[in-house]
Structures are given as structure tokens and as C-alpha cells.
């Protein structure tokens, strides 16, 4: 299955709507836009499920079946365990009180590390963007509005229980987001070096260039903390 980088904004919106704003097989709200394996059309698969296709463990017929009946539209699917919320999520990060109405909790050297936004359409998922440092310290957009961008194996994704885990194949780049509830996300562990600045974050503290801080991130503002 091939990526579809040249889709228009309207085409992407239609694909998201048709697929339920998530991977059609597992419901993860981070995905790639991919051409259907046999014939025209496009679907959404998370990086893990797309890997199964590449390994031959998901057949074209199975992908077609999942696309025809996305898991998030099935009655048994528990939407509460994933970030399907019409509002900005509350954030648990850096030892601060729960952050509200803070779309960009942290920037480093002008780079927004995490960005959260409400969905564009009803029943959509919280839009998550993640920007981390590559092996050379230059910023790399790993996720942009829920779209998984790396296609060369330089970053890996895992769903572990209620956690979205992203990690660099080389270097120590890491971001683990725990979906506490549909409208509450904890930054369980984030680690990156970007433009020479070393950042590490947990729900209880943040550390920049070896100095640890607690309760430094502001709430109710566009950017919670600029480093």
C-alpha cells in the first residue's frame, strides 16, 4: 500500500470521515493516508497495522473488509479509551496542575514539541502533533494533525494499552502519551535533544539541559512554557 502525499485537504477530510477518523483496523487515532491495495480509493491505517500489510500479515482482502466496516463504527468499540473529544484535552505534564486550554504546552528554541487541537468535524479525534529532534538535533515532524509522517523506518510507533509510544530508530527521541480519558492526556515520558537543548518530561517534572523543574508550565494560554 502506497502513501498518498498529494491529497487535497478536502480529500483528506473525506477519507477521515469515511474511516471514522482513525485506523480502520484498530481505532488508533494516529494514521497514514494509504491507497487501497487492490483498486482505487484510500483508507487510514496506523503505522503498526500498515507494517502488518508490508509484512504480508494483513491481506488486501482483509484491508478491504476493515475499510468497509471501520472498527470505530462498530457497536462494541470503546471510544472512551482513545482521544475522541470535541474539546481541547486536559493535560497532565511537568508537575503542573492539570492544564486546560493550552494547545502548545512546551516549545524549545521556538519549536513546538507537542500541539493539541480539537477535531475539525463532529465525532472526530483530538488532533495531535509531535515534533522531536533527529539524530543530528534538527527538528523532525513525526506527527502532524494525527498524520504519521515518517515513511523510512526512522521512527517507530506502538500502542501499549492506553499509551501512544513513539521512538526514534536512532538516538534517544521518545514520546509516550497516555490516554487517561477521551479528554485527558498525560505526557508520560518525553525525551529529545533539539537544536542543542536537552528536554525530558514526565507527568511530575520537566528537565531542560540537566536542570529539573516542577510546575513551570502555564495553563489557559497558547504556549504553556517557552524554553
Amino acid at each position: 500500500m502506497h502513501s498518498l502525499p498529494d491529497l487535497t485537504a478536502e480529500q483528506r477530510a473525506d477519507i477521515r470521515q469515511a474511516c471514522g477518523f482513525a485506523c480502520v483496523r484498530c481505532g488508533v487515532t494516529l494514521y497514514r493516508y494509504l491507497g487501497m491495495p487492490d483498486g482505487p480509493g484510500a483508507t487510514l491505517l496506523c503505522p503498526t497495522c500498515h507494517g502488518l500489510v508490508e509484512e504480508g500479515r494483513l491481506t488486501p482482502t482483509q484491508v478491504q473488509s476493515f475499510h468497509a466496516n471501520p472498527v470505530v463504527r462498530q457497536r462494541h468499540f470503546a471510544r472512551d479509551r482513545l482521544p475522541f473529544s470535541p474539546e481541547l484535552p486536559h493535560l497532565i505534564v511537568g508537575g503542573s496542575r492539570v492544564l486546560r486550554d493550552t494547545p502548545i504546552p512546551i516549545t524549545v528554541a521556538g519549536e513546538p514539541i507537542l500541539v493539541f487541537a480539537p477535531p475539525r468535524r463532529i465525532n472526530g479525534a483530538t488532533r495531535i502533533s509531535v515534533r522531536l529532534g533527529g539524530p543530528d538535533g534538527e527538528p523532525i515532524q513525526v506527527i502532524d494533525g494525527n498524520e504519521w509522517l515518517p515513511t523510512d523506518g526512522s521512527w517507530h510507533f506502538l500502542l501499549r494499552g492506553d499509551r501512544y509510544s513513539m521512538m526514534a530508530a536512532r538516538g534517544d527521541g521518545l514520546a509516550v502519551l497516555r490516554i487517561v480519558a477521551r479528554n485527558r492526556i498525560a505526557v508520560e515520558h518525553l525525551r529529545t535533544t533539539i537544536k542543542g537543548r536537552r528536554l525530558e518530561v514526565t507527568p511530575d517534572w520537566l528537565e531542560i539541559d540537566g536542570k529539573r523543574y516542577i510546575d513551570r508550565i502555564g495553563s489557559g494560554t497558547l504556549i504553556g512554557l517557552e524554553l
Side-chain angles (χ1 to χ4, degrees):
M1 297 176 68
H2 57 282
S3 295
L4 300 172
D6 298 326
L7 294 168
T8 66
E10 183 177 359
Q11 288 172 325
R12 288 170 183 262
D14 289 344
I15 294 167
R16 291 195 300 270
Q17 182 80 44
C19 296
F21 305 95
C23 173
V24 294
R25 178 177 179 267
C26 70
V28 164
T29 60
L30 307 179
Y31 43 72
R32 291 173 59 188
Y33 296 86
L34 298 162
M36 296 296 286
D38 288 335
T43 194
L44 300 180
L45 286 178
C46 73
T48 300
C49 291
H50 182 245
L52 296 177
V53 173
E54 292 183 322
E55 295 167 7
R57 296 164 62 189
L58 267 183
T59 67
T61 300
Q62 288 173 314
V63 173
Q64 292 279 5
S65 177
F66 288 123
H67 179 73
N69 187 24
V71 67
V72 297
R73 299 198 187 282
Q74 297 174 20
R75 291 179 59 186
H76 71 274
F77 184 75
R79 292 173 66 92
D80 286 346
R81 69 183 182 88
L82 291 172
F84 287 97
S85 173
E87 302 171 347
L88 270 175
H90 299 165
L91 303 176
I92 304 169
V93 56
S96 299
R97 288 171 291 181
V98 174
L99 303 186
R100 293 174 170 82
D101 298 319
T102 307
I104 306 173
I106 302 172
T107 65
V108 176
E111 301 290 344
I113 305 303
L114 298 169
V115 181
F116 299 92
R120 291 190 177 95
R121 293 191 180 183
I122 295 174
N123 295 325
T126 299
R127 288 179 288 150
I128 298 171
S129 298
V130 179
R131 191 167 176 82
L132 299 171
D136 59 358
E138 288 302 305
I140 294 174
Q141 195 73 38
V142 181
I143 301 167
D144 184 17
N146 290 348
E147 182 179 0
W148 180 265
L149 298 182
T151 60
D152 58 0
S154 57
W155 291 83
H156 302 305
F157 172 81
L158 286 174
L159 174 66
R160 293 172 171 166
D162 55 3
R163 293 163 175 83
Y164 287 174
S165 299
M166 298 140 263
M167 61 214 74
R170 293 175 51 223
D172 63 353
L174 172 73
V176 182
L177 304 179
R178 180 177 171 230
I179 314 304
V180 180
R182 67 166 61 189
N183 67 338
R184 182 170 293 214
I185 297 174
V187 181
E188 189 156 280
H189 196 185
L190 187 147
R191 184 179 63 226
T192 190
T193 300
I194 192 165
K195 294 186 176 180
R197 307 294 305 277
R198 167 78 175 180
L199 174 70
E200 189 163 6
V201 183
T202 74
D204 302 317
W205 48 262
L206 70 86
E207 193 171 281
I208 183 73
D209 299 331
K211 295 182 180 180
R212 185 167 294 188
Y213 302 94
I214 296 173
D215 198 17
R216 286 282 305 276
I217 305 174
S219 183
T221 183
L222 175 63
I223 300 174
L225 178 64
E226 298 180 73
L227 297 168

